[in-house]
Amino acid sequence: MSEEDLLGEILGWAGVTISTYFFIAPVVPYYKLIKGKITYHEVPSILLICSLLNCFLWADYGLLKGNSQQYAANGIGGSITLIFTTILLIHIAERKFLKALLYNLFLIACVVEIYFFFYYIVDVEITGIIVIVFNILMYAAPAEKIYTICKTGNYKLIPIFSTIGAFAGSACWLYYGLYKSDMPTIVPNALGLANGIFQVIIYIVYRKKYNKNNPSKVEETAQLKNIVE
């Protein structure tokens, strides 16, 4: 194996690791949801749905292309996202067991049907085009908050840890796509990388503006830090 091949494989598995972090990152709002500290309306449901569809389509694509890294990353990500989706559906059903069970059975049936439909019926090239679309939607989903951030200055609406994870994952998968000369991997991850940079810039700019306009908050945070130390 050449150095280039070795680097490509390493970055592929690094992409798997970072992607796993990206899918685990939303655990905090779901923990708060379980504890009753927030309602299901405050959970990033659009990102969740886009992530779920994206994962199972990419798992199909990875399996069709014989790409173990893509299959592993999205198999893990899909499983984690399915757990979060189940938690969300339970709360949408107001914790009524039978209602929640019906929601989950319907969801699982849809996911399984999509998985087998694309694996057995749809051509790999068409699947590649569709995964590009859903991958872009997944990376762009947090951007729905950008308008609100620009209007209110509330930089905290950007899920910064998820954004950094998406940024790092996009960088790894972009190189991996270039290494494999695989356009369905290159296109969405190039856009995902640009989107990640944009969101981090927005976060930094509005965080500075917020701290400048709220000096008391900065001083309070510094005092708490000194007490802890």
Side-chain angles (χ1 to χ4, degrees), residues 1 5-14 69 176 179-180:
M1 183 182 288
D5 291 339
L6 179 61
L7 181 59
E9 290 299 308
I10 290 171
L11 283 174
W13 288 111
Q69 287 95 336
Y176 187 75
Y179 160 68
K180 291 285 188 178

Side-chain angles (χ1 to χ4, degrees), residues 52 56 77-87 104 107-108 111:
L52 186 64
F56 284 97
S79 301
I80 294 169
T81 307
L82 193 58
I83 292 170
F84 288 150
T85 307
T86 300
I87 294 170
N104 280 285
L107 172 68
I108 293 169
V111 167

Side-chain angles (χ1 to χ4, degrees), residues 137-202:
L137 287 173
M138 184 188 74
Y139 283 136
E144 64 173 318
K145 303 292 185 183
I146 297 298
Y147 174 76
T148 307
I149 292 166
C150 294
K151 191 175 180 180
T152 64
N154 186 6
Y155 69 93
K156 295 179 182 179
L157 291 174
I158 291 180
I160 190 61
F161 293 111
S162 294
T163 301
I164 292 171
F167 170 79
S170 291
C172 287
W173 286 117
L174 176 59
Y175 183 90
Y176 187 75
L178 291 168
Y179 160 68
K180 291 285 188 178
S181 299
D182 186 39
M183 288 306 293
T185 303
I186 294 170
V187 173
N189 287 293
L191 293 173
L193 189 64
N195 181 56
I197 293 170
F198 173 68
Q199 289 190 57
V200 169
I201 291 171
I202 291 291

